[in-house]
């Protein structure tokens, strides 16, 4: 959504997602419940923040060794 939040659910229409993109574009997509559940959005944001902190600490520790930090392709 425009807010960056996660919606609560979407109908499971497996046949729709098996279609090629051009055929999907001509069909009505599965219904989406646009209710934003703040608990799950908060958990996702907390997890992303924790991952950022963990990786930042790892990169700082690696930099302190003087070794070159490996690049991810």
């Amino acid at each position: 959504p425009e807010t960056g939040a996660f919606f609560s659910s979407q109908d499971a229409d497996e046949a729709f997602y098996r279609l090629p993109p051009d055929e999907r574009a001509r069909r009505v997509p599965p219904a989406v419940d646009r209710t934003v559940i703040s608990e799950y959005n908060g958990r996702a944001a907390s997890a992303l923040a924790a991952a950022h902190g963990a990786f930042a600490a790892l990169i700082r520790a690696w930099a302190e060794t003087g070794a070159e930090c490996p690049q991810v392709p």
Side-chain angles (χ1 to χ4, degrees):
E2 297 79 29
T3 63
F6 298 100
F7 290 138
S8 60
S9 68
Q10 177 173 339
D11 284 345
D13 184 352
E14 295 174 17
F16 177 84
Y17 291 105
R18 287 190 189 115
L19 297 172
D22 59 325
E23 195 170 331
R24 256 189 271 158
R26 293 189 297 265
R27 293 186 175 217
V28 176
V32 174
D33 179 352
R34 296 193 173 271
T35 302
V36 175
I37 309 287
S38 60
E39 175 188 2
Y40 296 119
N41 285 298
R43 287 182 183 192
S46 294
L48 290 170
H52 171 75
F55 282 108
L58 179 64
I59 291 169
R60 278 193 305 274
W62 190 288
E64 288 174 3
T65 67
E68 187 174 324
C69 190
Q71 298 297 312
V72 177

